[in-house]
Structures are given as structure tokens and as C-alpha cells.
Amino acid sequence: MAAQFGRLRKGAVNTTVAAVVVAALAASQAPGVTTDDAGRKVTTGTQPSPDTPAENSATGNSPYYTDLPPLNSPNPSPTTGTPVTQGTSEAGIPATVLDAYKKAATALQESKPGCNLPWELLAAIGKVESGQARGGRVDANGNTLSKILGPQLNGNGFASISDTDGGAYDGDSSYDRAVGPMQFIPSTWEWAGRDGNGDGKKDPNNVYDAALAAGHYLCRFGWDLSTKSDLDSAILSYNNSRDYLNLVLRWLEYYRKGTHEIPDGTGTLPSDRSDDTAGASPTPTTPGTPATPSSPSTPKPGGGDGGSTSPEPTPPPSTTPPATPAPTPTDTVHHLEDAGTAKLSAMAGDAFTEKITARAETKAGKAVPKVRIRFAIIGATDAAFSTGEKYATTLTNSIGEAVAPALKAGENTGEFVVRATVVGRTVSGLDYTATVTERAADTLARTGEEVLTCTPGGEFADQVEVKATYKGTVADKVAATATLIKSADDATENDKGPYFKDADGKTVRTLTGLTTDANGLLKLPKLYADDTTGTFLLRINTAGGATLTVELKVAAADTSPSPTPSEPASGTDSASPSPSA
């Protein structure tokens, strides 16, 4: 039976402690709205937006575990007098789960180094979402021993998200549920899923796959997680809740102080969950209100351990009306302009040598730096950016220009569109048309120099092999045809002379569907000859216009006798004595 989150009672005392500690965290920033890799709206500030649909987060804003990290450090000083047991236990992360987080962070450091994703952030989210895969109950390959499912998102106390996957991931064909150790809803996993363990599958119930997917999800939009604003935005995009943000930040801070590996299956299981209000205090508790009747304290921005009880001085009331916030660079963008992008064309399988460059401008045509530009590949194509993804986000530089990663053509030929848009602002996108042409060769040459001859009714001893190149480099997977033609000036198929055989042994004088191999080589089938003698021509053509004509000779075998010792060749002196001797 699939394991699901249980409804676990949360007491009023724990609720009050959570409120006091969480209130000591960083102050929020004004919210903004942008789009994710599926073109959906998400918040970009540190405040949740009530207008943002739940299905636009990674988890569908599903419930999460609310257990707080211990107040003592994972590696407390012996002189503090704080018991070590709880901290040591909570700081332990199951071995396979910890390995998944670290490998995912390493992969992101290589593919998206500007994101600065710490593995401890994945651990913090994994702790809040599933208690580190329910205490590390996974096998050696990272598969959870049973499915970890969130509650049915049927609108009864949660968001209402109708089924999007036919129950393929969550086993529910009526409504969606969050799935796996990182709690992705099926609609998000469909585009955000990754294969983290190299088994060819993207399984939300595998901790390696889920951790890598979470890393990529947190690193989209070109976010730099070493900055507070981007870190907050990324966490809020995972679950659009201020309390969730504060809780994840607490665990992130805790794990950064120290952690260690523990055996799989021995991790501490969480006990409290965000949707369990049965044991909550009936009296609302104001975060930050101290338990003693002393003057209220004001938490410092950025928070702390919640251990200080000294009140902060209250600033005098301001008599100056608040100033209107200055517009951000994104607010000033009026349109996008092409910044000299050359014609985008590449052969199938090759990288485009040209890069797309867009410039953000104000209404007056002034360049706008430090604006996120999102590039998306549109249309039925297997082309991708050099990152392997269909989407990329880059910042405009000091002259307002954003350069997309290099494009790599797939095997599908034809046109597709790359659309540039401004993240967080509704202005018209800028479309770039890219063309993928079929693989081509401009030169063909035989790999051998032997004369190709045959007797009437026989077969040629040597097979024709050629090598194709394009601009001096190997031309692999290039389409080719081979035809036995009538003459150099008449390329129609000959009706006599040498021929090939098909699978049924029938005569064939034109071969189609030929392709050069990875080394640019093409070896033709064996050739045969009918009873017609003479010199014949074989013409080979490739995509791209490369042509080679090969001569084939059919002649009767030479039957003239060879000289023997008793019949010396004419003009040769005989060593025999003359008859008159």
C-alpha cells in the first residue's frame, strides 16, 4: 500500500514556538510576477501572491511538514550546556538521500554555475516536503520503498487541481497529488522531471531524479541563489507560502552549520504538518510577541536563532509620507530589439555558429541593463540550447543586450522559432527564425585506387567505397544515391552493363536511401556484370551536391598463350647449339 502523509496533531505550544521563531527570519520584499519554464505565472518577490494559482508551484502548494530544527547547533560547543542528542540526530541525513542532493548540486554547478545552488537547500526542501524521503526509506538506486503521496488536491481544504496525468504518477485519476521525496505535482513533473541516476527514466519517486529536477526548477530564470532576493523567489516558486519560505530558510541555515551521513532508513520522521490545525490554539498568536509581559520586541531583518529577548528600540513615527518606489529596470522596458543576430542556419546535428542577441530598450530607445530575458524554442523541433533545454534565461549587460546560449540542431529539418520575452513584464516578444537543413557533403573521394574490372557474366572483386567530407571535415549521416548511368552527359539509368542485386537477387541499377557512417564512409554492395563488354560509369551523389563518377570495365579474359621454355619469344637468342654445330 502506498505510504501517504498522515494527519498528525500539532499542539498549541508547538504552534506558538514556531510562530516566534519563524517571525525572526528575513523581512519580505514586494512581490512580482514572472513566468516559469512552462510559461506560467509565478511570484518573484518574497511575499506569496494570493492570485497565483496553486498549480503554478512545484508542489501545487500542498501541505508540508512544519517541524522546526533544534535551537542548538548541529555541532554545539561543549561549553554551552545544550544537550547534543537532538541536534546530532536532526542533522543526520540518510546516505543515499544525501548523495542525491550533492550530486544534483554538482551537476547544476556544471550546467548552471551562475545559480550557485547549495546542496543544503535541496536538503532543507527535502526535509520539509518528505522528511528526507521518510527517513531515507529508499533502495540503493534511490527509489522510495513505497510511494510518497500528498493529499488529494480536491479543493477540500487544499487547492483544487483536477487530474492531469491519468493517474500515471500519483495513482489518482480524479485529482492530482504531490508525488515523491520532493513532492512534485504531475503537471509540473511532466516538464521539470530529470533523469538523475542515468537509468533512462524520469521518476518522481526516485530521489536522484527528484533532487536534480528540484535543482533545475530552483535555478530557472537565471536566478542567483547566493542573493537573498533570488533565493526567496526560488523557494516561494516551489510552494507559494511565506511560512514555507521561513521554514525552509531555517533548515537551510541549520544544515549549513553542519550535518553528517546516517544509514538509510534511520532518519528522524517529522511529526507536524501545515494542514493540521486540530491542536492549534483557539486564540490567534501574534508572531514575535514575547511570552513575558515586557515590551514587544521587533525582530531584526534577517532573523536569528530567536534566543534574544532584548527589545529593539522603537523608531519615532515618521511625518514624511512614504516615497513612491523607484521603478525597477524591468519596469522601464518598452520593447525588445534584435541586436544584430545573423541568419540562423545549421545542418542537422550541428551547432549553430550564430547566437541570438536581443536588446531591451525604453520607449525612447535607451538600453536597459540588468533585465532578465527569456529565450524559448517554439515549434515541432528537436533542436535545443547547448544546455540541453528548450528554455534559457540571461541578464542584459551594460548595453542592454542579452545573448542566448548556443543553439544545437537536432535531426528534424525545417524551420523553428526562438522567442525572446522580458521576464516579469508584459511586452511583445521578439521572434527569431532558425533553419535546420539536411546533412550535406561537398566532396566525395574513393578510398582505394584499384582499377575496377570484371569479365562478362562475372562479379567485380572489389567493392566501391567512398569518403564524404564537408568543408574539410567528416560528413557523417549524409544521404546518398548511386546510379549506373548511360554516359557522362546522360545521367539516366543504364539498361545494360554492371548492376547491383536487391534482397531477392533481382537486377538493380539505382540505389537510394544510402547514408554515410560516423566516419563519413559509404561502402556500396557488390557489383555484377551482364554479358555486355565495355567501359561503364557509376555516379554517386550526396545531399549538398557532392558528386563522384567511377569507371567500371567489363572485358573478356585474355586467352593469348604465354611463352614457354621450348618456344622462346621472338628476338630472343637461343642457347641451344645450331644444327650445323
Side-chain angles (χ1 to χ4, degrees):
M1 177 177 179
Q4 300 186 21
F5 292 112
R7 290 194 61 87
L8 303 169
R9 192 175 185 277
K10 178 168 59 180
V13 173
N14 190 52
T15 303
T16 304
V17 173
V20 172
V21 177
V22 168
L25 289 171
S28 67
Q29 299 178 0
V33 176
T34 183
T35 54
D36 65 8
D37 284 354
R40 302 160 170 168
K41 290 183 179 179
V42 295
T43 57
T44 58
T46 59
Q47 284 281 13
S49 169
D51 300 323
T52 303
E55 59 266 32
N56 290 349
S57 69
T59 67
N61 296 341
S62 293
Y64 51 91
Y65 287 114
T66 58
D67 296 39
L68 289 167
L71 294 178
N72 56 295
S73 167
N75 298 305
S77 169
T79 62
T80 62
T82 304
V84 177
T85 306
Q86 186 182 14
T88 302
S89 174
E90 288 293 345
I93 299 178
T96 300
V97 179
L98 180 61
D99 184 56
Y101 296 151
K102 290 185 175 181
K103 284 185 176 178
T106 299
L108 266 297
Q109 185 59 37
E110 294 176 359
S111 63
K112 296 180 179 179
C115 178
N116 295 306
L117 171 76
W119 68 262
E120 292 92 341
L121 176 58
L122 296 176
I125 291 176
K127 177 68 174 181
V128 171
E129 291 295 349
S130 68
Q132 311 298 19
R134 298 189 63 78
R137 284 157 178 78
V138 297
D139 63 20
N141 296 319
N143 299 307
T144 58
L145 299 183
S146 59
K147 285 188 176 182
I148 302 174
L149 298 174
Q152 190 181 61
L153 298 176
N154 57 10
N156 184 18
F158 313 111
S160 179
I161 304 178
S162 298
D163 176 64
T164 61
D165 65 328
Y169 294 120
D170 57 12
D172 192 331
S173 58
S174 299
Y175 293 89
D176 275 350
R177 299 170 181 256
V179 182
M182 302 305 277
Q183 288 290 278
F184 280 94
I185 55 174
S187 58
T188 300
W189 182 263
E190 191 63 26
W191 60 267
R194 294 292 191 280
D195 176 14
N197 61 354
D199 65 355
K201 298 183 294 184
K202 300 175 183 179
D203 184 1
N205 297 296
N206 181 280
V207 70
Y208 287 98
D209 294 1
L212 184 60
H216 277 280
Y217 186 92
L218 294 165
C219 285
R220 66 203 196 289
F221 306 135
W223 277 329
D224 179 0
L225 302 187
S226 65
T227 65
K228 185 179 187 310
S229 60
D230 281 4
L231 175 62
D232 290 354
S233 297
I235 295 171
L236 280 172
S237 77
Y238 209 89
N239 190 311
N240 191 32
S241 161
R242 172 70 180 177
D243 290 340
Y244 181 90
L245 167 67
N246 290 338
L247 185 60
V248 170
L249 289 175
R250 281 294 288 182
W251 280 107
L252 171 60
E253 179 187 7
Y254 183 78
Y255 284 136
R256 276 175 164 166
K257 291 178 180 177
T259 186
H260 57 277
E261 177 182 300
I262 61 176
D264 289 343
T266 64
T268 303
L269 293 176
S271 58
D272 297 327
R273 206 175 67 164
S274 62
D275 63 328
D276 185 5
T277 58
S281 171
T283 304
T285 305
T286 303
T289 302
T292 64
S294 60
S295 302
S297 64
T298 303
K300 293 181 181 179
D305 287 339
S308 175
T309 59
S310 301
E312 293 290 331
T314 303
S318 173
T319 58
T320 305
T324 302
T328 66
T330 301
D331 294 333
T332 67
V333 177
H334 178 266
H335 60 273
L336 292 175
E337 288 284 343
D338 176 33
T341 303
K343 182 180 179 181
L344 297 167
S345 181
M347 285 197 303
D350 288 352
F352 285 76
T353 56
E354 310 82 10
K355 286 189 177 182
I356 297 172
T357 305
R359 183 172 56 252
E361 296 184 354
T362 63
K363 188 174 183 179
K366 183 180 178 181
V368 185
K370 297 184 179 180
V371 172
R372 287 190 178 93
I373 305 298
R374 181 174 183 264
F375 299 93
I377 296 174
I378 309 296
T381 178
D382 55 351
F385 290 111
S386 56
T387 57
E389 299 182 346
K390 299 284 187 180
Y391 307 92
T393 304
T394 59
L395 279 175
T396 55
N397 57 21
S398 59
I399 58 175
E401 294 182 356
V403 182
L407 282 168
K408 179 102 184 318
E411 294 302 324
N412 296 342
T413 59
E415 293 184 347
F416 64 92
V417 170
V418 178
R419 180 166 299 156
T421 54
V422 181
V423 175
R425 183 145 177 86
T426 306
V427 297
S428 298
L430 189 60
D431 286 354
Y432 299 82
T433 300
T435 305
V436 179
T437 60
E438 63 180 335
R439 294 173 182 264
D442 55 16
T443 304
L444 280 174
R446 282 189 62 199
T447 58
E449 298 180 353
E450 64 279 0
V451 178
L452 299 171
T453 62
C454 181
T455 57
E459 62 182 52
F460 287 81
D462 299 303
Q463 291 176 245
V464 178
E465 184 181 64
V466 297
K467 183 171 184 176
T469 56
Y470 183 79
K471 295 183 178 180
T473 61
V474 167
D476 62 323
K477 300 181 182 178
V478 177
T481 60
T483 306
L484 291 149
I485 59 176
K486 290 184 175 180
S487 68
D489 299 324
D490 185 356
T492 57
E493 181 181 291
N494 209 338
D495 55 0
K496 57 186 176 181
Y499 60 92
F500 300 103
K501 290 182 180 180
D502 64 13
D504 297 325
K506 296 179 180 179
T507 298
V508 176
R509 289 192 169 92
T510 298
L511 297 177
T512 59
L514 304 173
T515 307
T516 61
D517 65 14
N519 298 313
L521 298 176
L522 173 62
K523 192 169 188 177
L524 298 183
K526 184 172 290 188
L527 277 162
Y528 301 87
D530 61 12
D531 294 333
T532 309
T533 59
T535 300
F536 301 89
L537 300 179
L538 169 66
R539 181 160 293 170
I540 305 170
N541 298 298
T542 70
T547 300
L548 178 67
T549 303
V550 181
E551 281 193 354
L552 306 170
K553 294 183 177 180
V554 179
D558 185 3
T559 58
S560 58
S562 300
T564 62
S566 59
E567 296 179 356
S570 175
T572 302
D573 293 334
S574 173
S576 302
S578 75
S580 59

